[in-house]
Amino acid sequence: MKTNDHRIGVYICWCGTNISGMVDVEALSQSIGQLPDVAVSRDYKYACSDPGQQLIIDDIHEYRLTNVVVASCSPRIHEITFRRAIENAGLNPYMLEMANIREQVSWVHSDRDEATRKAGALIKAAINRVRYHEPLEKRYVDINPTTLVIGAGISGMTAALEIADAGKKVYLVEKADKPGGLVAQLDLTYPHFDSAQELVLSKIKRVNDHPNIDLFLNSTITEISGFIGNFSTHLRLDGQEGQELKFGNIIVATGLRPIDAGIIENYNYRNIPDVITSLEFEKMLLEGNISTEEGKTPKHVAIIHCAGSRNSRYHEYCSRTCCMVALKFIHQIRSILPQTNIYDLYTDMRSFGKGCEALYTRTNNNTMFLMFDKDDLPQIKTANPGDDCSILIEMNEKLSGRSVEIPADMVILMVGMEGQTDAKDIARAVGISLCGSNFFIEKHPKLDPVATTTDGVFIAGACQGPKDIPDSIAQASAAAARVLSTISAGKVQVESITASVNEDICCGCQTCISVCPYSAISFDEEKSVSVVNELICKGCGTCGSTCPTGAIRSRHYTDEQILSQISGLIETANTM
Amino acid sequence: MSERVDPGFIKEMKHYGTSDWNACFHCGNCTAICPFTENESLFPRKGIRQMQMGLKDSLASNVDPWLCYYCGECSDTCPRNANPGEIMMSLRRYLTTIYDWTGLAKRFYQSKKWEFGVMILLALLIMILFIFFHGPMTRELTSEGGVQLNTFAPWKKIEIGDWIMAGLLSFFLISNILNMYLKIIVKDRQLKVPFRFYIIEFWSLIVNFFTQKKFSKCEKDRTYWITHLLVMTGYTIMFILIVVFLGWFQTDAIHPWWHGQRLLGYYATFGLLVGIFYFLAGRFKQNTQKNKYSHFTDWSFLILLLLTTLSGILVHIFRVTGLPMLTYYTYVIHLMILFPMLMIEVPFSKWSHLAYRPFAIYFYNLKKRAMNRQLQPVLQ
């Protein structure tokens, strides 16, 4: 479909030498300028720069452009930039199409002529497509200023307090019978030996006393309905359906659980009583009594790192905190039992961050450090009668290349972290995803580790991945700040690129409802058609491509748009 | 077979001069820079790890420390200042106590009281023997104007003492070397050394004892090796003169300066003095890695050797210039220093390295040869 009322501006970016080094941008801009409907075609050194954007804005005014094509880097990087630019010139932001001639052309090819041809084809396809772009509206929803925080550990309490201190209401839901989470089970923290109890008790007191926080203990959440700004749920209190809560944002802070040491066969955790986990040892430290099952003071204590971490049979990832906790243990054992021999069996010593290397140096001279390969675990067994210890550990020591035997009366397994077993239920209830090992997946691993792919749902603390206390608190504060910013905006923009159902064609098969990852489609029994809730829809297009009758139209990704883009590619390939 | 680790071992090693035992994090730079390390002996790192883990059996059979001549390049290169060279040195001290079955070496290295106590006892023994058994202290001089030393201390009587001493020294040293052989060769059950290898490699034992040619390859600067060779030859000549040829060496006659007796004596004295002052100066100045750390036994060894040499020179001067009383007293003092020094240093302390080093090279060569032979069928 060619109409004469399209006046398209095409801008081909040099990206310095990133694109121009491999693509003849000047020749391309000349030949593209000859195409029908192209009112102006230019090449420019950095289209994303302020003068570059200004050039586009000026052209829109001068040539009364209706559509704009920018051939440059990936739209993931600058689509928003150029949409804003053409919006400033008075065009609807969705009248833009980008051709990615950097990541998909100049960076990956080595033949200049061929690369230039491919760039030409992509630009022509974009020109074909942009003709079918339609103006889309920006839409906003109001935000309910109350927030739901799931999990009252150190992260959840921190996030709740930040929001409550800002004067906003928080529902803090905890499945256990008391707040505090894992930190409440610890004795001292590394590297400065502050009391974990003091840290957590001061937070618990503030949470209990805060007028803006409603704390629900023994409570779980199984289903949440709604979307950003307007969520609601029925609490389950001791398994019974409880109070209904309405809120605008959710912070998930469900924390972690230690892995079950029993799954590591070599360590005989279930069979030898004095083989204990790091958390069981924390308990001993809290009670102020390091002793074996028989009540004796251990003469030899062995600490084994990476129990369940960094091993292809258990978890491949590093749990980040265990090395430092082990060094903290060494320090504590050394001060309580100066005569006890300490053996530290590690795979790699990871003492990252402020003050941690100093702690390592401090423990270095009173401990025997022994290295094992992470795929060649030590074997723990009961000692022989006549040995001066109750346990023997056999290992292949990596630095000496020798197989050695270590006497022990107590073995502490530094168990790794994994997500909660019910993380799947939480993920389903709030509409977010899990990566492996029951940790929640963040929106972007670097640029947005706090948000999730569901608007209005944020994650904080060790439920996102292994973390220490300061990192958990930092993420909790960040999540609180993100919630407060949506609350203070009052409204939030929702996706404009959404799906819509042509009720005349919909046959009511409900296939779209089963495939929608955002639960954005419901069924209108009366009309017997599917209905898309456009506030929840993300425009992913799954329903549109699944719909057997073609009743669902994905805005901005219509059949005409896609097909014309493809034909643009094919035509160019045939002619050039 | 897995070997038991021993965290208490480090405390023991501290007696032998190891200080920062855990600084080493096993990067292997020391092994890479060492001019002697070979595939069959990856020191110093291997020995350091055995020490850190307290693998005493592995250490006892480890010949590597004796293959190191402490040029100090490993310590210069170490990124952690773990001082691998000094650890090798302290391992040599430790091994000396391990080869010594009497346990005396351990006492002498670990306790100044023992070292100096036994030294004084032995010196007193010499004094008492002289008080009761010395000959007439005549003031009459010989026709050449020299002192009649053989009247005060007849060489035939002294020679009996020498032989007793040489017998004791040989007994302790040889039994310790046998012990070393047991630990390094015999205990290694997988190792089978054919008898002919012992004969083939014997030549290397002799060559290394007299030339220390391996040592000469250790450093760019050969001064140390030459000086060490001077001390070694001076000492050996003197030892042979007093034990085997005392009748020819301890004369009342004053030979002309070009006489063999005097020339050999002067060469030995010169060699010892040059060496002693060179080593003492080095330890004072701490100018090289190997001089930076001195165990008390390093000092006592050098000082005893210096006093022996000086008193020997004085005996000679007093005798030829005709000063009888001074000659007699100095002679007794000379033996009061010489005897304890040899009895302590040769079988039980620093001087034992004169035997352990060449034997270590001998055992190492045997081991290497035997291992290569055992590996050959596998390689084919």
Side-chain angles (χ1 to χ4, degrees), chain B residues 124-147:
Chain B
L124 288 175
L125 175 73
I126 296 293
M127 197 167 82
I128 290 164
L129 284 175
F130 269 97
I131 289 171
F132 287 105
F133 300 110
H134 73 82
M137 297 174 78
T138 173
R139 289 177 187 272
E140 208 172 298
L141 300 181
T142 62
S143 55
E144 291 161 307
V147 176

PDB file of all heavy atoms in Angstrom, chain B residues 124-147:
ATOM      1  N   LEU B 124      85.904 -28.192  79.369  1.00  0.00           N
ATOM      2  CA  LEU B 124      86.422 -28.520  80.699  1.00  0.00           C
ATOM      3  C   LEU B 124      87.091 -29.892  80.695  1.00  0.00           C
ATOM      4  O   LEU B 124      88.125 -30.096  81.347  1.00  0.00           O
ATOM      5  CB  LEU B 124      85.288 -28.489  81.735  1.00  0.00           C
ATOM      6  CG  LEU B 124      84.770 -27.086  82.085  1.00  0.00           C
ATOM      7  CD1 LEU B 124      83.568 -27.181  83.017  1.00  0.00           C
ATOM      8  CD2 LEU B 124      85.889 -26.270  82.742  1.00  0.00           C
ATOM      9  N   LEU B 125      86.501 -30.812  79.937  1.00  0.00           N
ATOM     10  CA  LEU B 125      87.070 -32.153  79.847  1.00  0.00           C
ATOM     11  C   LEU B 125      88.504 -32.072  79.320  1.00  0.00           C
ATOM     12  O   LEU B 125      89.421 -32.703  79.880  1.00  0.00           O
ATOM     13  CB  LEU B 125      86.200 -33.011  78.925  1.00  0.00           C
ATOM     14  CG  LEU B 125      86.730 -34.415  78.625  1.00  0.00           C
ATOM     15  CD1 LEU B 125      86.590 -35.326  79.846  1.00  0.00           C
ATOM     16  CD2 LEU B 125      85.999 -35.038  77.438  1.00  0.00           C
ATOM     17  N   ILE B 126      88.699 -31.283  78.262  1.00  0.00           N
ATOM     18  CA  ILE B 126      90.039 -31.111  77.689  1.00  0.00           C
ATOM     19  C   ILE B 126      90.975 -30.518  78.744  1.00  0.00           C
ATOM     20  O   ILE B 126      92.105 -30.967  78.944  1.00  0.00           O
ATOM     21  CB  ILE B 126      89.980 -30.193  76.457  1.00  0.00           C
ATOM     22  CG1 ILE B 126      89.151 -30.838  75.337  1.00  0.00           C
ATOM     23  CG2 ILE B 126      91.385 -29.856  75.950  1.00  0.00           C
ATOM     24  CD1 ILE B 126      89.758 -32.074  74.726  1.00  0.00           C
ATOM     25  N   MET B 127      90.451 -29.494  79.469  1.00  0.00           N
ATOM     26  CA  MET B 127      91.275 -28.823  80.466  1.00  0.00           C
ATOM     27  C   MET B 127      91.715 -29.816  81.541  1.00  0.00           C
ATOM     28  O   MET B 127      92.890 -29.878  81.917  1.00  0.00           O
ATOM     29  CB  MET B 127      90.491 -27.667  81.089  1.00  0.00           C
ATOM     30  CG  MET B 127      91.374 -26.674  81.823  1.00  0.00           C
ATOM     31  SD  MET B 127      90.463 -25.161  82.192  1.00  0.00           S
ATOM     32  CE  MET B 127      89.601 -25.665  83.648  1.00  0.00           C
ATOM     33  N   ILE B 128      90.742 -30.611  82.001  1.00  0.00           N
ATOM     34  CA  ILE B 128      91.051 -31.581  83.061  1.00  0.00           C
ATOM     35  C   ILE B 128      92.088 -32.598  82.583  1.00  0.00           C
ATOM     36  O   ILE B 128      93.049 -32.923  83.284  1.00  0.00           O
ATOM     37  CB  ILE B 128      89.755 -32.292  83.526  1.00  0.00           C
ATOM     38  CG1 ILE B 128      88.877 -31.294  84.280  1.00  0.00           C
ATOM     39  CG2 ILE B 128      90.064 -33.504  84.400  1.00  0.00           C
ATOM     40  CD1 ILE B 128      87.444 -31.715  84.456  1.00  0.00           C
ATOM     41  N   LEU B 129      91.899 -33.067  81.339  1.00  0.00           N
ATOM     42  CA  LEU B 129      92.864 -34.027  80.791  1.00  0.00           C
ATOM     43  C   LEU B 129      94.272 -33.431  80.798  1.00  0.00           C
ATOM     44  O   LEU B 129      95.246 -34.096  81.146  1.00  0.00           O
ATOM     45  CB  LEU B 129      92.463 -34.420  79.369  1.00  0.00           C
ATOM     46  CG  LEU B 129      91.287 -35.410  79.261  1.00  0.00           C
ATOM     47  CD1 LEU B 129      90.893 -35.621  77.804  1.00  0.00           C
ATOM     48  CD2 LEU B 129      91.633 -36.746  79.903  1.00  0.00           C
ATOM     49  N   PHE B 130      94.389 -32.147  80.425  1.00  0.00           N
ATOM     50  CA  PHE B 130      95.700 -31.506  80.402  1.00  0.00           C
ATOM     51  C   PHE B 130      96.248 -31.315  81.812  1.00  0.00           C
ATOM     52  O   PHE B 130      97.440 -31.497  82.062  1.00  0.00           O
ATOM     53  CB  PHE B 130      95.652 -30.170  79.657  1.00  0.00           C
ATOM     54  CG  PHE B 130      95.954 -30.340  78.195  1.00  0.00           C
ATOM     55  CD1 PHE B 130      94.956 -30.441  77.251  1.00  0.00           C
ATOM     56  CD2 PHE B 130      97.286 -30.449  77.771  1.00  0.00           C
ATOM     57  CE1 PHE B 130      95.241 -30.614  75.910  1.00  0.00           C
ATOM     58  CE2 PHE B 130      97.582 -30.627  76.430  1.00  0.00           C
ATOM     59  CZ  PHE B 130      96.554 -30.713  75.500  1.00  0.00           C
ATOM     60  N   ILE B 131      95.345 -30.935  82.753  1.00  0.00           N
ATOM     61  CA  ILE B 131      95.811 -30.720  84.127  1.00  0.00           C
ATOM     62  C   ILE B 131      96.456 -31.991  84.664  1.00  0.00           C
ATOM     63  O   ILE B 131      97.523 -31.961  85.279  1.00  0.00           O
ATOM     64  CB  ILE B 131      94.642 -30.261  85.036  1.00  0.00           C
ATOM     65  CG1 ILE B 131      94.238 -28.836  84.662  1.00  0.00           C
ATOM     66  CG2 ILE B 131      95.031 -30.343  86.513  1.00  0.00           C
ATOM     67  CD1 ILE B 131      92.961 -28.356  85.334  1.00  0.00           C
ATOM     68  N   PHE B 132      95.828 -33.140  84.360  1.00  0.00           N
ATOM     69  CA  PHE B 132      96.334 -34.381  84.929  1.00  0.00           C
ATOM     70  C   PHE B 132      97.414 -35.055  84.100  1.00  0.00           C
ATOM     71  O   PHE B 132      98.248 -35.760  84.627  1.00  0.00           O
ATOM     72  CB  PHE B 132      95.161 -35.348  85.168  1.00  0.00           C
ATOM     73  CG  PHE B 132      94.313 -34.946  86.332  1.00  0.00           C
ATOM     74  CD1 PHE B 132      93.066 -34.370  86.154  1.00  0.00           C
ATOM     75  CD2 PHE B 132      94.797 -35.122  87.640  1.00  0.00           C
ATOM     76  CE1 PHE B 132      92.299 -33.986  87.229  1.00  0.00           C
ATOM     77  CE2 PHE B 132      94.021 -34.737  88.720  1.00  0.00           C
ATOM     78  CZ  PHE B 132      92.772 -34.157  88.522  1.00  0.00           C
ATOM     79  N   PHE B 133      97.346 -34.869  82.793  1.00  0.00           N
ATOM     80  CA  PHE B 133      98.238 -35.694  81.968  1.00  0.00           C
ATOM     81  C   PHE B 133      99.279 -34.905  81.163  1.00  0.00           C
ATOM     82  O   PHE B 133      99.949 -35.483  80.332  1.00  0.00           O
ATOM     83  CB  PHE B 133      97.398 -36.553  81.005  1.00  0.00           C
ATOM     84  CG  PHE B 133      96.459 -37.472  81.717  1.00  0.00           C
ATOM     85  CD1 PHE B 133      95.086 -37.271  81.695  1.00  0.00           C
ATOM     86  CD2 PHE B 133      96.952 -38.564  82.453  1.00  0.00           C
ATOM     87  CE1 PHE B 133      94.210 -38.130  82.363  1.00  0.00           C
ATOM     88  CE2 PHE B 133      96.084 -39.421  83.113  1.00  0.00           C
ATOM     89  CZ  PHE B 133      94.708 -39.204  83.074  1.00  0.00           C
ATOM     90  N   HIS B 134      99.386 -33.593  81.365  1.00  0.00           N
ATOM     91  CA  HIS B 134     100.319 -32.856  80.510  1.00  0.00           C
ATOM     92  C   HIS B 134     101.760 -33.207  80.880  1.00  0.00           C
ATOM     93  O   HIS B 134     102.065 -33.636  82.004  1.00  0.00           O
ATOM     94  CB  HIS B 134     100.087 -31.341  80.633  1.00  0.00           C
ATOM     95  CG  HIS B 134     100.554 -30.745  81.927  1.00  0.00           C
ATOM     96  ND1 HIS B 134     101.864 -30.405  82.160  1.00  0.00           N
ATOM     97  CD2 HIS B 134      99.866 -30.438  83.048  1.00  0.00           C
ATOM     98  CE1 HIS B 134     101.970 -29.899  83.375  1.00  0.00           C
ATOM     99  NE2 HIS B 134     100.768 -29.920  83.947  1.00  0.00           N
ATOM    100  N   GLY B 135     102.691 -33.025  79.898  1.00  0.00           N
ATOM    101  CA  GLY B 135     104.114 -33.296  80.126  1.00  0.00           C
ATOM    102  C   GLY B 135     104.761 -32.116  80.841  1.00  0.00           C
ATOM    103  O   GLY B 135     104.071 -31.135  81.171  1.00  0.00           O
ATOM    104  N   PRO B 136     106.081 -32.207  81.061  1.00  0.00           N
ATOM    105  CA  PRO B 136     106.783 -31.113  81.754  1.00  0.00           C
ATOM    106  C   PRO B 136     106.674 -29.807  80.979  1.00  0.00           C
ATOM    107  O   PRO B 136     106.783 -29.794  79.753  1.00  0.00           O
ATOM    108  CB  PRO B 136     108.235 -31.596  81.791  1.00  0.00           C
ATOM    109  CG  PRO B 136     108.220 -33.022  81.379  1.00  0.00           C
ATOM    110  CD  PRO B 136     106.957 -33.307  80.676  1.00  0.00           C
ATOM    111  N   MET B 137     106.459 -28.709  81.725  1.00  0.00           N
ATOM    112  CA  MET B 137     106.338 -27.391  81.076  1.00  0.00           C
ATOM    113  C   MET B 137     107.713 -26.739  81.056  1.00  0.00           C
ATOM    114  O   MET B 137     107.969 -25.760  81.743  1.00  0.00           O
ATOM    115  CB  MET B 137     105.323 -26.527  81.818  1.00  0.00           C
ATOM    116  CG  MET B 137     103.923 -27.128  81.789  1.00  0.00           C
ATOM    117  SD  MET B 137     102.749 -26.224  82.802  1.00  0.00           S
ATOM    118  CE  MET B 137     102.372 -24.840  81.773  1.00  0.00           C
ATOM    119  N   THR B 138     108.578 -27.315  80.236  1.00  0.00           N
ATOM    120  CA  THR B 138     109.951 -26.814  80.237  1.00  0.00           C
ATOM    121  C   THR B 138     110.073 -25.456  79.569  1.00  0.00           C
ATOM    122  O   THR B 138     109.386 -25.171  78.595  1.00  0.00           O
ATOM    123  CB  THR B 138     110.883 -27.830  79.561  1.00  0.00           C
ATOM    124  OG1 THR B 138     112.165 -27.237  79.441  1.00  0.00           O
ATOM    125  CG2 THR B 138     110.399 -28.208  78.165  1.00  0.00           C
ATOM    126  N   ARG B 139     110.963 -24.615  80.154  1.00  0.00           N
ATOM    127  CA  ARG B 139     111.208 -23.297  79.573  1.00  0.00           C
ATOM    128  C   ARG B 139     112.394 -23.354  78.600  1.00  0.00           C
ATOM    129  O   ARG B 139     112.726 -22.365  77.948  1.00  0.00           O
ATOM    130  CB  ARG B 139     111.501 -22.270  80.663  1.00  0.00           C
ATOM    131  CG  ARG B 139     110.261 -21.927  81.479  1.00  0.00           C
ATOM    132  CD  ARG B 139     110.587 -20.966  82.617  1.00  0.00           C
ATOM    133  NE  ARG B 139     109.422 -20.800  83.477  1.00  0.00           N
ATOM    134  CZ  ARG B 139     108.479 -19.883  83.265  1.00  0.00           C
ATOM    135  NH1 ARG B 139     108.586 -19.068  82.259  1.00  0.00           N
ATOM    136  NH2 ARG B 139     107.458 -19.802  84.085  1.00  0.00           N
ATOM    137  N   GLU B 140     113.020 -24.526  78.569  1.00  0.00           N
ATOM    138  CA  GLU B 140     114.190 -24.696  77.709  1.00  0.00           C
ATOM    139  C   GLU B 140     113.756 -24.720  76.245  1.00  0.00           C
ATOM    140  O   GLU B 140     112.778 -25.383  75.885  1.00  0.00           O
ATOM    141  CB  GLU B 140     114.837 -26.045  78.054  1.00  0.00           C
ATOM    142  CG  GLU B 140     116.333 -26.095  77.796  1.00  0.00           C
ATOM    143  CD  GLU B 140     116.895 -27.390  78.340  1.00  0.00           C
ATOM    144  OE1 GLU B 140     116.808 -27.594  79.583  1.00  0.00           O
ATOM    145  OE2 GLU B 140     117.360 -28.211  77.527  1.00  0.00           O
ATOM    146  N   LEU B 141     114.508 -23.982  75.396  1.00  0.00           N
ATOM    147  CA  LEU B 141     114.137 -23.918  73.988  1.00  0.00           C
ATOM    148  C   LEU B 141     114.952 -24.922  73.191  1.00  0.00           C
ATOM    149  O   LEU B 141     115.954 -25.440  73.668  1.00  0.00           O
ATOM    150  CB  LEU B 141     114.375 -22.504  73.446  1.00  0.00           C
ATOM    151  CG  LEU B 141     113.577 -21.400  74.147  1.00  0.00           C
ATOM    152  CD1 LEU B 141     113.886 -20.044  73.500  1.00  0.00           C
ATOM    153  CD2 LEU B 141     112.076 -21.672  74.102  1.00  0.00           C
ATOM    154  N   THR B 142     114.504 -25.210  71.972  1.00  0.00           N
ATOM    155  CA  THR B 142     115.257 -26.101  71.101  1.00  0.00           C
ATOM    156  C   THR B 142     116.448 -25.348  70.535  1.00  0.00           C
ATOM    157  O   THR B 142     116.569 -24.122  70.711  1.00  0.00           O
ATOM    158  CB  THR B 142     114.397 -26.575  69.907  1.00  0.00           C
ATOM    159  OG1 THR B 142     114.037 -25.428  69.144  1.00  0.00           O
ATOM    160  CG2 THR B 142     113.155 -27.290  70.386  1.00  0.00           C
ATOM    161  N   SER B 143     117.352 -26.085  69.820  1.00  0.00           N
ATOM    162  CA  SER B 143     118.551 -25.454  69.273  1.00  0.00           C
ATOM    163  C   SER B 143     118.193 -24.370  68.269  1.00  0.00           C
ATOM    164  O   SER B 143     118.908 -23.402  68.083  1.00  0.00           O
ATOM    165  CB  SER B 143     119.427 -26.518  68.597  1.00  0.00           C
ATOM    166  OG  SER B 143     118.641 -27.210  67.628  1.00  0.00           O
ATOM    167  N   GLU B 144     116.956 -24.528  67.629  1.00  0.00           N
ATOM    168  CA  GLU B 144     116.537 -23.499  66.656  1.00  0.00           C
ATOM    169  C   GLU B 144     115.876 -22.310  67.352  1.00  0.00           C
ATOM    170  O   GLU B 144     115.469 -21.357  66.696  1.00  0.00           O
ATOM    171  CB  GLU B 144     115.539 -24.102  65.661  1.00  0.00           C
ATOM    172  CG  GLU B 144     116.174 -25.128  64.725  1.00  0.00           C
ATOM    173  CD  GLU B 144     115.136 -26.034  64.081  1.00  0.00           C
ATOM    174  OE1 GLU B 144     114.319 -26.643  64.827  1.00  0.00           O
ATOM    175  OE2 GLU B 144     115.096 -26.112  62.846  1.00  0.00           O
ATOM    176  N   GLY B 145     115.694 -22.404  68.681  1.00  0.00           N
ATOM    177  CA  GLY B 145     115.074 -21.315  69.429  1.00  0.00           C
ATOM    178  C   GLY B 145     113.564 -21.462  69.559  1.00  0.00           C
ATOM    179  O   GLY B 145     112.878 -20.536  69.974  1.00  0.00           O
ATOM    180  N   GLY B 146     113.053 -22.646  69.219  1.00  0.00           N
ATOM    181  CA  GLY B 146     111.601 -22.850  69.323  1.00  0.00           C
ATOM    182  C   GLY B 146     111.227 -23.524  70.625  1.00  0.00           C
ATOM    183  O   GLY B 146     112.081 -23.970  71.393  1.00  0.00           O
ATOM    184  N   VAL B 147     109.926 -23.572  70.899  1.00  0.00           N
ATOM    185  CA  VAL B 147     109.426 -24.165  72.135  1.00  0.00           C
ATOM    186  C   VAL B 147     109.339 -25.681  71.967  1.00  0.00           C
ATOM    187  O   VAL B 147     109.011 -26.174  70.894  1.00  0.00           O
ATOM    188  CB  VAL B 147     108.034 -23.589  72.477  1.00  0.00           C
ATOM    189  CG1 VAL B 147     107.451 -24.272  73.718  1.00  0.00           C
ATOM    190  CG2 VAL B 147     108.109 -22.095  72.668  1.00  0.00           C
TER     191      VAL B 147
END
